[in-house]
Amino acid sequence: MVRATDLPDYEREHLLGKNLPPLGPHCWTKHAKPLKEMRVALITTAGIHFQDDESFDFTDASFRPIPGEEDSSNLIMSHSSANFDRIGFVEDVNLVFPIDRFKELANVGTIGSLASVHYSFMGAGLMPEAYEQSTDQVAHLLKQDQIDAVFLTPV
Amino acid sequence: MTTGISLVRENAESMRPPRSLWVSFSLGRPLGVPNDAQFQHRVIAAALNLLERGRGPILEDYPVNAPEVSRETVPACPVSFPKTDNNSNWQSRLSGELSSLKPWYELGRRRRGGRTLACVSNLSIEENLRKLGEYLDLNRLPIDELHWFKQAIEDAKVFYLEAMTAQPGNHDQMQVNETLWRETQLGAGLFLFYEGFRAHPTLHPFARLILPRTAVGGTTG
């Protein structure tokens, strides 16, 4: 979005209140293979899921798996925040969760392959530590799926 | 390894994730433009490019803004919200509004190939609006049904938005939301819920679920 300095006072204060120190010691994984050989997963904090899944609660550190082969046009959203646009996501899932774009990249060989399962969190109302158990679990699942790289989208 | 999009540059600056592409797009639109695959591909390519850098953390600015919506080409809101007798009860007011919205909601749903987000709750929109109206008529907060309340207001808000944007074209999201908060009975009812929760000694955090900061011109708690 526009830089916080260009926003009204109340909006700037709210967003800058979310500034946090780095999470743990500096980590850097150097790429070991070219992008065209990487297996990539998507993770979003947009609070999306399929209708049959349990919706996200007011604050909720759990996650929902999004199998790559399911029809992404059936994804819905139960994010708690009232402070972002939802009209765009109604029009196009890829605006938030670019699954079709990544399928296209896999088809033309820009990336090696796509994960079998992607993941959705709901980023609102909790500090990062609250997500530790869930993110550990997802990290384990990503390793099992032999993922090389994760593409993260906020909302 | 990770790469991704950042919508609030200052947050990414402070937290220093290994690789992040800051974009100037609105909250809720990390890929910039709906139904524009080429635009989205360019954003993704810029973020994936960070994976092949030698050292980090990297916070790179994406140089392109989302195209501005021209007021001259914005599709008009098709819904005429009826003038309502403010002496009538909330159930009637919301029910009357629903009748005006429903054909447009269905039209929008057909245009989007059957896609709708207004289905988080297990109850129908009619039932959710009836229950919301009942609480408003009783001047009570749904403190024993908070899970239902969250789902019901999310479904109601997005039902209205889908109806108001039923026609194809680039909608002005600010204008549509402004209409929802300022010109509808649902907006007026949500303001009452908002004020009720905001004044509640323990459930005041729930207020921020109801209205955005832009609707109240300040923090929502």
Side-chain angles (χ1 to χ4, degrees):
Chain A
M1 65 180 304
V2 296
R3 285 174 191 266
T5 46
D6 298 328
L7 295 170
D9 290 349
Y10 65 86
E11 191 67 15
R12 182 173 59 249
E13 281 168 26
H14 176 85
L15 294 173
L16 295 185
K18 294 184 181 300
N19 285 354
L20 290 170
L23 299 172
H26 171 62
C27 63
W28 178 261
T29 306
K30 196 161 181 258
H31 69 284
K33 54 172 88 166
L35 185 58
K36 66 181 181 188
E37 293 175 17
M38 286 186 189
R39 186 164 171 79
V40 181
L42 307 186
I43 296 183
T44 182
T45 52
I48 61 176
H49 52 86
F50 291 103
Q51 193 177 353
D52 293 342
D53 295 333
E54 189 181 344
S55 65
F56 285 100
D57 214 336
F58 178 48
T59 57
D60 196 331
S62 63
F63 65 89
R64 306 287 176 273
I66 302 178
E69 77 275 10
E70 287 204 36
D71 183 354
S72 60
S73 68
N74 291 328
L75 285 166
I76 59 173
M77 181 182 273
S78 58
H79 200 291
S80 288
S81 174
N83 292 290
F84 64 84
D85 169 63
R86 278 171 161 78
I87 298 168
F89 180 67
V90 175
E91 294 292 338
D92 180 6
V93 167
N94 292 283
L95 186 63
V96 168
F97 183 70
I99 184 69
D100 296 323
R101 299 296 83 82
F102 272 84
K103 285 179 179 172
E104 289 156 7
L105 292 178
N107 285 340
V108 298
T110 303
I111 60 170
S113 60
L114 258 184
S116 336
V117 181
H118 308 275
Y119 299 94
S120 170
F121 289 84
M122 197 276 289
L126 293 173
M127 296 299 279
E129 295 76 18
Y131 293 88
E132 197 166 347
Q133 194 178 349
S134 294
T135 50
D136 280 353
Q137 200 179 341
V138 167
H140 181 69
L141 292 164
L142 293 170
K143 277 186 181 172
Q144 278 187 333
D145 200 9
Q146 298 186 300
I147 298 303
D148 299 299
V150 173
F151 187 87
L152 304 161
T153 51
V155 75
Chain B
M1 36 194 325
T2 61
T3 187
I5 306 288
S6 165
L7 286 162
V8 183
R9 195 181 195 289
E10 290 81 353
N11 293 165
E13 254 174 359
S14 70
M15 286 183 268
R16 306 184 78 198
R19 302 163 200 83
S20 192
L21 180 74
W22 172 68
V23 295
S24 60
F25 315 142
S26 309
L27 296 182
R29 299 187 166 212
L31 272 294
V33 184
N35 299 317
D36 188 337
Q38 292 314 309
F39 190 99
Q40 295 171 2
H41 269 304
R42 288 193 290 274
V43 177
I44 292 167
L48 288 179
N49 177 267
L50 306 182
L51 288 171
E52 300 193 290
R53 302 286 178 84
R55 62 178 59 184
I58 309 166
L59 173 57
E60 194 151 287
D61 294 351
Y62 189 65
V64 180
N65 297 325
E68 287 195 18
V69 177
S70 161
R71 291 274 164 137
E72 288 160 17
T73 57
V74 168
C77 175
V79 188
S80 301
F81 293 105
K83 292 283 176 210
T84 307
D85 174 9
N86 284 343
N87 293 320
S88 63
N89 67 36
W90 279 100
Q91 288 184 67
S92 306
R93 290 195 227 177
L94 293 175
S95 163
E97 207 161 66
L98 178 60
S99 302
S100 306
L101 286 159
K102 193 116 196 215
W104 294 106
Y105 166 81
E106 295 296 349
L107 189 143
R109 187 173 177 164
R110 284 196 295 278
R111 177 176 70 76
R112 298 177 180 111
R115 177 166 165 73
T116 177
L117 301 190
C119 52
V120 172
S121 163
N122 290 327
L123 298 184
S124 66
I125 186 69
E126 288 84 357
E127 188 64 8
N128 278 328
L129 288 181
R130 187 193 62 73
K131 281 186 72 170
L132 289 171
E134 205 169 70
Y135 275 109
L136 288 166
D137 285 328
L138 294 169
N139 198 21
R140 281 179 45 205
L141 293 177
I143 54 177
D144 298 325
E145 294 191 278
L146 289 175
H147 190 68
W148 161 78
F149 179 68
K150 174 181 182 290
Q151 294 181 334
I153 62 169
E154 281 166 2
D155 275 358
K157 285 187 279 190
V158 83
F159 181 95
Y160 274 58
L161 292 173
E162 287 181 25
M164 292 156 70
T165 57
Q167 303 196 79
N170 292 322
H171 294 270
D172 182 339
Q173 45 178 296
M174 298 280 282
Q175 191 180 57
V176 174
N177 279 291
E178 187 71 9
T179 303
L180 173 61
W181 306 125
R182 303 291 171 204
E183 295 180 29
T184 70
Q185 293 300 317
L186 178 69
L190 290 177
F191 265 92
L192 293 179
F193 280 123
Y194 169 80
E195 285 166 0
F197 275 108
R198 190 130 166 92
H200 194 280
T202 56
L203 294 175
H204 55 88
F206 238 82
R208 67 171 185 258
L209 181 82
I210 302 170
L211 294 178
R213 292 182 292 277
T214 49
V216 298
T219 182
T220 51

